[in-house]
Amino acid sequence: MSLSLSLQVEAIYRQDSGKVLATLARLLGDIDLAEEATQDAFVTALKSWESKGIPAKPVEWLISTGRFKAIDAIRKRSRLTVLEPELEHRIEEIQEANLSFSERDIKDDRLRLIFTCCHPAIDPTVQIPLTLREVCGLSTQDIAKAFLVPTATMAQRIVRGKAKIRSARIPFVMPDAASLPERLESVLSVVYLVFNEGYSASSGTAALRSDLSQEAIRLARTLLDLLPDPEVRGLLALMLLHESRQAARTNQEADIVLLEEQDRSLWDRKLIEEGLLLVQQSLASREFGFYTIQAAISAVHAESKSTQETDWAQIVALYNVLRQIDPSPVVELNRAVAVAMRDGPQAGLDLVDNLLETDQLADYHLAHSARGEFLRQLGKPTDAKSALEKALSLARQTPEQRLLRRRIDSLVLK
Amino acid sequence: MKYMLLIYGSEDTWTEQEREDCMLESMAISDELESQGKWIASSPLFPVSSATSLRVRNGKRQITDGPFAETVEQLGGYYIIDVVDLDEALSIAERLPPSKKGTVEIRPLFPLPARRASNITAEETR
């Protein structure tokens, strides 16, 4: 085989195997079978294209070939399990499936696959790895490393997800208009969780984890391309704005640098500009939600030269909207910090103390560290110290623990 | 694709009136599904106090009074439906009155293998 052909096939594989898989998954209703058929189709392509050359529409060729490979595989398997009438019916369906695929159909199949992998009937802890594996094409080994579990455990989760799709017949379709908002919400939350896994990088696998952030951004771009919804835009904006601070978030010792101390010249202006534009577009649609508001808050920071020059009144106003859309103790805590920046530390302390009284945030280290900071600013270093020590006892990631220790050590006790 | 919808709920949270309304509504849904060719079977069940469990161990029948497992929510009825996919099964489950009070578990029916040729002959010659 010529070197150039194999390189070209490799390039097609990298770029398009996800599309081939997504369409085959829809046709076959079975991701395992679709994966096998995709591999077979590429192997066949290497042989066939050697003599006949690369076809005009290689993706369509691969899908069509994969389809017949899958039918062969079903026939072969059936000798072992025998499900005759159902099986014949299925094979007919696959054969009769529309032979001409438009560019749009193929694109939509990727979207359908995302919705299938994030179907609420699949265990939430399985949705994320399944999406990374089947939609993003990450290897099981890499996913396992990023989530710090053994490869075998991760492989099991993915197998479980694929089996559920097959046996319960979870469809590969776009949700209907009535259930779209609810279904989109679960897709967006999967994307955001993938991003956060990467963003809160903490251990030796930091490089792999930052890949996850990139993957989440890529996924959101694909999603936006296929489904231009304000919240998809909002989520992409939010992730881009967070990502823009990546270089400033940690110092050379891998210690956390807080927003007020970050060197803002390190912020990535290109990502910020893209994020700002997306936020404006989403806000203008007036159909925005949770992600867009968070992105808007992030945008206010991105546009400010320093913490002092930040428009805290605007941020508090945005939190007031956010607490109505998505009330949660964490939103209340973040709002309390913004209120403190606007009205002074006593106002913030009162709000956090109220929150802690309701007990919901009692085990959340950031509630205690915020409290410690307010007390320090109020000239009560002893009280600040015990609040920060409480936070330290609750913090689980080493960079956060180091940050808290530094803050405790820098207190000037009377 | 055939699914069984298992209706779970606490038996003591229903008043007589609610129970009757629920059954009438369920019958209407069953009739509608039947007219669409999607209904196979459905029925409410007597309370678990009427249940009898049997197992055969070492060739001997062991019969006990009561359900297989004591749970907070009990199996109170079932539907067997024939629909396109899980999403359609979910949208039917959502309409069933007990989904508002209890839980509807949706289980795909496992397709049976084709009968072996020898079995068919055996049946035919019987």
Side-chain angles (χ1 to χ4, degrees):
Chain A
M1 176 199 330
S2 68
L3 183 63
S4 85
L5 177 73
S6 80
L7 285 177
Q8 285 178 63
V9 173
E10 225 181 279
I12 294 172
Y13 187 84
R14 258 199 316 276
Q15 210 193 315
D16 295 325
S17 62
K19 294 179 194 164
V20 176
L21 174 72
T23 297
L24 286 174
R26 172 177 58 82
L27 289 174
L28 304 170
D30 180 337
I31 295 183
D32 269 326
L33 196 56
E35 281 178 319
E36 216 178 285
T38 304
Q39 297 302 326
D40 286 351
F42 272 95
V43 171
T44 311
L46 271 177
K47 282 182 228 150
S48 165
W49 297 355
E50 175 80 30
S51 51
K52 294 178 197 148
I54 297 180
K57 292 183 167 177
V59 174
E60 283 82 343
W61 189 99
L62 287 159
I63 292 169
S64 208
T65 304
R67 216 160 45 121
F68 291 112
K69 293 285 169 193
I71 292 174
D72 288 349
I74 295 173
R75 288 232 160 88
K76 237 179 253 168
R77 274 186 210 178
S78 74
R79 283 196 203 119
L80 305 171
T81 45
V82 215
L83 307 165
E84 301 302 354
E86 285 258 333
L87 200 68
E88 281 312 319
H89 180 63
R90 224 177 115 199
I91 289 176
E92 257 168 51
E93 270 180 2
I94 298 167
Q95 272 168 341
E96 281 165 18
N98 198 352
L99 260 172
S100 61
F101 310 96
S102 74
E103 198 62 21
R104 185 77 223 172
D105 285 337
I106 294 170
K107 255 185 159 181
D108 286 350
D109 279 334
R110 290 207 72 198
L111 187 59
R112 292 189 185 102
L113 184 61
I114 298 174
F115 275 107
T116 304
C117 290
C118 301
H119 196 286
I122 298 170
D123 183 344
T125 64
V126 175
Q127 289 175 14
I128 295 173
L130 195 61
T131 306
L132 287 170
R133 176 76 196 87
E134 307 307 333
V135 182
C136 305
L138 260 59
S139 75
T140 304
Q141 200 180 5
D142 280 352
I143 302 168
K145 266 191 205 150
F147 287 88
L148 308 174
V149 300
T151 305
T153 309
M154 192 49 87
Q156 239 170 25
R157 273 186 216 170
I158 293 170
V159 166
R160 196 144 57 86
K162 289 193 280 194
K164 176 74 190 259
I165 291 170
R166 183 175 50 236
S167 57
R169 192 173 289 185
I170 295 176
F172 291 77
V173 292
M174 273 293 291
D176 54 28
S179 52
L180 184 62
E182 174 201 329
R183 295 284 308 278
L184 183 59
E185 201 180 300
S186 67
V187 169
L188 294 182
S189 91
V190 164
V191 176
Y192 195 38
L193 282 167
V194 169
F195 179 79
N196 280 325
E197 267 313 312
Y199 192 66
S200 54
S202 53
S203 58
T205 54
L208 264 172
R209 297 197 136 218
S210 100
D211 276 357
L212 284 185
S213 300
Q214 295 303 324
E215 215 48 72
I217 289 172
R218 201 168 320 162
L219 203 54
R221 285 190 198 282
T222 309
L223 211 52
L224 184 59
D225 180 32
L226 300 166
L227 191 76
D229 173 278
E231 275 294 86
V232 179
R233 213 166 256 137
L235 174 59
L236 178 56
L238 177 62
M239 296 192 297
L240 291 171
L241 291 168
H242 276 312
E243 190 66 14
S244 72
R245 298 181 206 139
Q246 189 60 33
R249 283 177 70 235
T250 48
N251 62 17
Q252 283 165 335
E253 287 80 44
D255 281 329
I256 298 174
V257 182
L258 294 174
L259 189 63
E260 63 250 38
E261 288 155 9
Q262 284 179 14
D263 175 357
R264 298 188 179 210
S265 69
L266 292 175
W267 290 3
D268 187 327
R269 299 310 310 178
K270 243 183 92 188
L271 292 181
I272 289 175
E273 261 145 47
E274 193 189 348
L276 291 178
L277 183 68
L278 288 163
V279 173
Q280 283 160 10
Q281 287 171 343
S282 178
L283 287 173
S285 77
R286 308 210 153 265
E287 282 165 28
F288 51 84
F290 172 73
Y291 294 110
T292 303
I293 297 293
Q294 287 194 87
I297 293 169
S298 202
V300 176
H301 289 299
E303 287 181 305
S304 312
K305 289 201 185 71
S306 67
T307 331
Q308 289 73 33
E309 286 171 58
T310 302
D311 186 351
W312 291 102
Q314 171 77 5
I315 291 183
V316 172
L318 287 165
Y319 273 119
N320 289 343
V321 180
L322 188 59
R323 77 204 289 210
Q324 283 177 9
I325 299 178
D326 184 55
S328 83
V330 173
V331 168
E332 292 298 321
L333 175 64
N334 292 334
R335 181 177 170 274
V337 174
V339 168
M341 293 304 289
R342 187 190 63 180
D343 303 338
Q346 187 63 51
L349 184 63
D350 292 345
L351 288 173
V352 172
D353 281 344
N354 274 338
L355 279 173
L356 284 172
E357 251 169 53
T358 63
D359 220 35
Q360 282 169 296
L361 288 179
D363 291 333
Y364 189 49
H365 68 282
L366 292 179
H368 296 281
S369 81
R371 202 168 165 272
E373 177 60 19
F374 298 147
L375 287 162
R376 183 192 68 80
Q377 291 174 14
L378 290 165
K380 295 176 177 167
T382 320
D383 294 340
K385 183 164 184 261
S386 60
L388 291 174
E389 277 168 349
K390 174 80 185 167
L392 180 59
S393 72
L394 294 167
R396 259 172 281 151
Q397 292 183 331
T398 20
E400 289 192 318
Q401 291 166 347
R402 282 207 305 269
L403 173 69
L404 285 163
R405 270 197 208 98
R406 278 204 321 271
R407 287 172 58 192
I408 292 168
D409 292 343
S410 68
L411 286 171
V412 184
L413 297 174
K414 282 176 198 156
Chain B
M1 185 78 176
K2 298 185 182 76
Y3 295 89
M4 186 165 190
L5 312 184
L6 300 126
I7 315 293
Y8 288 92
S10 296
E11 288 172 351
D12 48 15
T13 58
W14 294 79
T15 64
E16 269 317 307
Q17 185 60 49
E18 281 174 336
R19 208 180 293 277
E20 199 186 316
D21 290 347
C22 168
M23 284 199 253
L24 289 173
E25 205 178 327
S26 300
M27 279 158 69
I29 293 173
S30 294
D31 288 346
E32 184 194 322
L33 291 173
E34 189 175 18
S35 71
Q36 297 164 344
K38 295 174 182 171
W39 180 86
I40 294 174
S42 62
S43 178
L45 300 173
F46 273 108
V48 284
S49 57
S50 70
T52 308
S53 298
L54 170 141
R55 47 181 79 77
V56 176
R57 295 291 181 275
N58 303 321
K60 274 182 75 176
R61 295 202 311 184
Q62 296 170 3
I63 296 172
T64 47
D65 176 31
F68 165 64
E70 296 285 356
T71 46
V72 186
E73 296 199 315
Q74 295 85 23
L75 182 64
Y78 69 89
Y79 291 72
I80 299 175
I81 56 172
D82 191 355
V83 294
V84 177
D85 55 37
L86 183 67
D87 280 357
E88 192 179 1
L90 286 166
S91 66
I92 290 169
E94 188 185 346
R95 293 175 57 202
L96 303 178
S99 69
K100 276 132 204 128
K101 281 189 106 146
T103 308
V104 182
E105 180 178 323
I106 299 156
R107 299 277 296 269
L109 262 58
F110 193 90
L112 290 171
R115 284 176 208 288
R116 289 200 189 90
S118 59
N119 284 4
I120 295 168
T121 337
E123 265 169 33
E124 279 166 354
T125 52
R126 199 177 289 163

